[in-house]
Amino acid sequence: MGAVVTPAAQREFAFNRSDFEKVRKTLMSQAGIRLADSKDGMVYSRLARRLRALNMDSFNEYLAYVASSTEEQEQFVNALTTNLTSFFREPHHFDALARYLHEHPETHTIWCAASSTGEEPYSIAMVVAEVYGSYKPPVNIVASDIDSNVLATAQRGVYPANSIEKLSNSRKQQFFHRGTGNNAGKVKVVDELRNMVTFKKINLQQADWGFRREVNVIFCRNVLIYFDKPTQLKLLARMVDLLPADGMYVAGHSENFNLQTDLVRPMGKTLYQPVK
């Protein structure tokens, strides 16, 4: 989800360093996410849309409104969270998941902790369906995100046809319907696969994630990098606590937890097992 950065000289609204710092502070308090110094252009581009939509004249006015409106707090977080994903991104993780399921057929819960627009949890669901040979395996797939907009997209399961170009023909035929007429150029995830995934809004900073039993596999890829180091370690510890001793934690290519030897041990490329 890229943003066109508007040069400062052409900006419709005044936006200075103080405004940027207020946005950073607000996002940290709302979602625990830290914005890098370099993100001021991205912040302006995305939030200027909200100012226009609300007919507001300044960032001060907008941030005051965010502080007073629960509904706008959600829009604020949605606007500033980045959702870059694709089907079977980092394919070795899905090969590892297939191996894990073959070795642990009693797996009961897989959590995709940053589902974005749904490509990742549906990729997980395809692997599960293939391993068990069924759309009704003994596995619960929970997919969560902080952004309600991308969750709505994920639940619909409708994507541009070119998003599945790299999938095998058998996966295209088994797991997707091709659109016709007004829906030409689109594909839709088959209902049987969509029904395998439960989508939930979860802020990783909230006290209770809602899991009442162990989670065998956690996909949390390129998410913790958006938090400061103490928060990263706190969240990693909470997630590891959900896993059994033979569970699997799947990190992103931008993350490395090899030094957190009290929490996890490496079991492959950006794959970890909890230390219990």
Side-chain angles (χ1 to χ4, degrees), residues 87 122 157-159 175-177 187-191 193-194:
F87 290 104
Y122 287 133
V158 176
Y159 302 96
F175 299 122
F176 295 88
H177 295 303
V187 293
K188 184 176 183 180
V189 177
V190 299
D191 288 346
L193 196 76
R194 286 197 305 133

Side-chain angles (χ1 to χ4, degrees), residues 19-70:
D19 295 319
F20 178 60
E21 292 301 335
K22 287 175 187 173
V23 169
R24 285 218 292 191
K25 185 177 179 181
T26 303
L27 186 62
M28 176 62 81
S29 67
Q30 293 293 330
I33 295 171
R34 60 181 175 84
L35 283 172
D37 287 344
S38 59
K39 297 295 184 182
D40 58 332
M42 180 272 285
V43 165
Y44 176 84
S45 295
R46 294 186 181 180
L47 293 186
R49 298 171 196 161
R50 294 304 303 152
L51 269 71
R52 289 187 204 103
L54 295 165
N55 221 9
M56 291 183 174
D57 298 321
S58 72
F59 275 82
N60 265 341
E61 182 184 4
Y62 175 67
L63 290 171
Y65 180 57
V66 170
S68 67
S69 167
T70 303

Side-chain angles (χ1 to χ4, degrees), residues 33-275:
I33 295 171
R34 60 181 175 84
L35 283 172
D37 287 344
S38 59
K39 297 295 184 182
D40 58 332
M42 180 272 285
V43 165
Y44 176 84
S45 295
R46 294 186 181 180
L47 293 186
R49 298 171 196 161
R50 294 304 303 152
L51 269 71
R52 289 187 204 103
L54 295 165
N55 221 9
M56 291 183 174
D57 298 321
S58 72
F59 275 82
N60 265 341
E61 182 184 4
Y62 175 67
L63 290 171
Y65 180 57
V66 170
S68 67
S69 167
T70 303
E71 185 177 330
E72 189 57 33
Q73 286 166 12
E74 183 171 308
Q75 294 291 338
F76 172 83
V77 172
N78 287 354
L80 294 178
T81 46
T82 299
N83 300 288
L84 178 63
T85 187
S86 60
F87 290 104
F88 290 94
R89 189 180 186 202
E90 297 180 62
H92 68 282
H93 285 159
F94 299 96
D95 295 338
L97 175 62
R99 288 193 301 273
Y100 183 90
L101 293 173
H102 281 298
E103 294 166 6
H104 302 82
E106 75 291 351
T107 294
H108 55 72
T109 303
I110 300 172
W111 178 23
C112 172
S115 68
S116 187
T117 45
E119 289 90 338
E120 183 173 299
Y122 287 133
S123 299
I124 292 169
M126 286 183 238
V127 172
V128 172
E130 289 167 347
V131 169
Y132 288 89
S134 171
Y135 285 117
K136 294 187 177 179
V139 179
N140 297 314
I141 302 170
V142 178
S144 68
D145 205 280
I146 193 174
D147 185 334
S148 55
N149 290 337
V150 297
L151 284 173
T153 298
Q155 287 174 309
R156 284 194 297 272
V158 176
Y159 302 96
N162 62 11
S163 68
I164 64 167
E165 276 181 357
K166 294 182 180 179
L167 271 60
S168 67
N169 286 333
S170 62
R171 280 178 171 163
K172 291 176 187 175
Q173 291 164 11
Q174 182 177 353
F175 299 122
F176 295 88
H177 295 303
R178 286 201 173 269
T180 58
N182 291 338
N183 292 312
K186 297 178 183 176
V187 293
K188 184 176 183 180
V189 177
V190 299
D191 288 346
E192 295 89 341
L193 196 76
R194 286 197 305 133
N195 292 338
M196 288 175 61
V197 184
T198 300
F199 289 98
K200 297 174 62 177
K201 184 179 178 183
I202 295 179
N203 180 342
L204 293 180
Q205 290 279 70
Q206 68 193 53
D208 183 1
W209 293 332
F211 294 100
R212 297 292 173 259
R213 57 189 298 191
E214 282 184 335
V215 177
N216 302 83
V217 178
I218 296 176
F219 275 69
C220 187
R221 305 193 300 170
N222 302 318
V223 178
L224 298 190
I225 53 171
Y226 292 104
F227 299 93
D228 59 27
K229 197 68 177 178
T231 305
Q232 285 181 28
L233 297 181
K234 177 184 172 185
L235 291 174
L236 179 64
R238 284 183 65 190
M239 290 186 180
V240 166
D241 196 44
L242 290 173
L243 293 166
D246 61 353
M248 183 169 72
Y249 180 93
V250 185
H253 65 272
S254 302
E255 297 162 326
N256 186 324
F257 300 118
N258 289 348
L259 297 179
Q260 272 62 65
T261 53
D262 57 327
L263 295 175
V264 292
R265 65 174 66 90
M267 58 182 294
K269 183 181 176 184
T270 49
L271 297 167
Y272 298 90
Q273 195 168 47
V275 172

